[in-house]
Amino acid sequence: MRSWTDTLRFAFQPVVNLATGAVAGLEILARPESGDILAQARRDPELDSRVAVLAIRAAARRETLLPLHVNVFAGTLADLGGLTPLYDAVREAGRLPWEVTLDVVPPYTHVPQPALLETLGGLREQGFRICADGVGDGDLPLRLLTDIAPDLVKLDASLLTRPAAVRAMRTLCDELGALLGVEGVETELQCATALAAGAQLAQGELFAPPARLPAADVYLPPRSPDGAWAPRSGPSVREFLRPAALLPATASAGQVRALLTGSPDVSGVLLVDRTGVPVRSLHRSRFLLSMSARYGHALYADRPAAKLGDPPRTVGIDATAWEVLDVVADGDRDRTSDDVAVVDRHGRCVGVVRLADLVRALAESRVEEAAGLNPLTRLPGSDAITGEVDRRIADGRSFALSWLDVDHFKQVNDGAGFAAGDELIRAVGRALQFSASGNTRVGHIGGDDFLVLTDPEGLAPLAASVLDAPWSAGGLPVTLSLATVLCMPGGVTDHREAAACLAPLKKAAKALRGASWVLGHAGLPGYEIRRGVTPVVAAGAPSGPPGTRPGPESAGGPLGAEPGVG
C-alpha cells in the first residue's frame, strides 16, 4: 500500500530581488498528487514537521545552491518546541542552517505566543532565518509580529491595492532590520506598485510559476519611464544581496573546482567555519587559472582550497551600497571584482553583493537624479521633494515644508536684466544649500520658487540665514518671502494635501511688505506672521481677508513648477 509520502511532490518558486533581478532564494511548495496533506499538516504538527524535512531532501536531490524557504505552520512551532529533525536534514543535505529561511505560516489564532517565541528564538540561535508569511491576509497580530522580529516579512499581493499600508510596513521592517517581500505577484502593474511602495523581494506567477525544477532565470518587467524601478539614494546592501556559494573551511581545491565548473553563474566561493563565519574568499577566475596552470591540478587538487584564497571582504547587513564601495576602494586593486560577503550580527554570511550590481544601480540613480536637476541651480525639482514628503508622512515623522521666492522678481528682471536675475537665483540656491543641515532637503521648482523640507527644529536657523541676509540684483535691493506649514504625524495624508495647506500661506506671505515669513499648522486655521509688515489699505481700496493682499493672487500648487512672477 502506498504511503502519503509516495504521492507527495515538491515544486520550487523563485524569490526575486527586485533591485538586481536575481533569484534570491527558492520557496519549496508541497504538491500532493491526491488528498489535502497541507490541511492535515495544519492540524498535525508531527506531519507538518515531516513535510518540512522532505522539502529539504527534495531540494538536495535537485542540487540547488540557492537559499531555501521552507513553510512551517505557527502552531507546529509552538507545539513541538523545536525542529530537530529539520536541523538534522539540513546538515545531512550538506547545507548550512542560515541558508534556510523558515516561512512561518498562519493561522496564529489559539497558538500559545510565549511557546512560539521561545521556539523561534532557539531556531534563530541555530542559524535559521525567520520569515513572517502571509502578512496582510492572515491573522498575525502586529504586536506579535514585532516580538518575532523576523528577518523577512512577506505581504499578500492583495495589500498592493493599499500602497500606504505597504509603505508603512516597509518603515516597520526597516526598524526591525527585516526585508520586505510581496508574494502572489501576477501582473507588471503589481510589480511596479510593490517596488514603488518599498518592497525589496517578490515572488509570483509573473516572475516564474512553481516548477519541479528550480528556475535559474526569471522574467523581470522593464523599468517604467517615470523611474519607478530606480533604487533610492543611499540604498541598503540588503537590496543587492545575492545567494553565496559556501563550502566548509576544510574543503579541498578539487571540491571548489567541481562546484565552480558545475555552476557557471557562481562568481566566487566563500569558505566558512563551523559557525558560518567567512574565513577565505575564492575568486572564480583567479582560482580556475591557478588550477589550470601547468601541474596546477596535481599540485592543488587534494590540498586545502584555503591556500588559494584571500581574506574575505565583509560588510554588515545594515551597510549601505556606498559603504560596500568604500570597502572595495580601500582594498587591493586586483580584487575589485571580488564578491563582498554580507554578514549578520554574529558574523555569519547571509549572502554576497557584486560590485557590478552596485555600480549599475548607483549609476542609474545618479543619471535619473541629474535629469531632475534644475539647470540654473543644479538643485532637484519638485519630484524629489514630494517623494521625500510622502516618505516622511509614511514614517509618521513631523516636518516643516516651506516655499520661498523673490519679491517682485519680474521687476528685478526688467530693471536689472535677466543675467542679474539668474545670478540672484543661483545665490539664493547656494545660501539655502549652505544653511541646510541634517535631514533638510532643498529644491528649485522653477523661476524664483524654492521648496525646503526640514525637521521643525531646523526651521528657525534656516529662515534666519536667508531672510537676514542683504539681497540685491544689479544694485537694486531685493527681499524674500517665506511661507511654512508645520505637519505633525497624521496632519496630512500626502504631498498634495501639504501643498494645499501651503498655498494660502504663500498668499499671506506675499501680501506683507519687506522680508516676510508666515507660519501655519496643517489642519489648523490661521497663521502666525514671523516677519514682515502688514500693508495699510487706502480708503476705498478693495480689501481682502485678513493676512492677504487685496487683488488677484496666484494660488497655484507650490509643489508644482510655477513661474516666479512675484
Side-chain angles (χ1 to χ4, degrees), residues 17 45 55 63 140 158 163 184 193 201 285 288 352 354 359 373 396 452 532:
N17 184 318
E63 298 183 347
L140 175 58
S158 62
T193 302
L201 303 174
S285 298
L288 292 179
V352 296
R354 295 181 181 176
V359 171
L373 297 181
V452 183

Side-chain angles (χ1 to χ4, degrees), residues 262-277:
S263 307
D265 293 334
V266 173
S267 55
V269 176
L270 288 172
L271 303 181
V272 297
D273 65 15
R274 296 182 64 182
T275 64
V277 175

Side-chain angles (χ1 to χ4, degrees), residues 495-562:
H495 70 268
R496 297 176 184 83
E497 190 172 342
C501 294
L502 192 55
L505 301 176
K506 169 187 172 180
K507 258 188 168 183
K510 295 300 292 182
L512 301 174
R513 290 188 299 167
S516 62
W517 181 17
V518 168
L519 176 69
H521 291 76
L524 298 178
Y527 52 83
E528 176 188 353
I529 297 177
R530 291 284 184 97
R531 295 189 185 218
V533 179
T534 303
V536 177
V537 180
S543 61
T548 64
R549 182 168 56 187
E553 170 75 7
S554 170
L559 298 189
E562 178 188 26

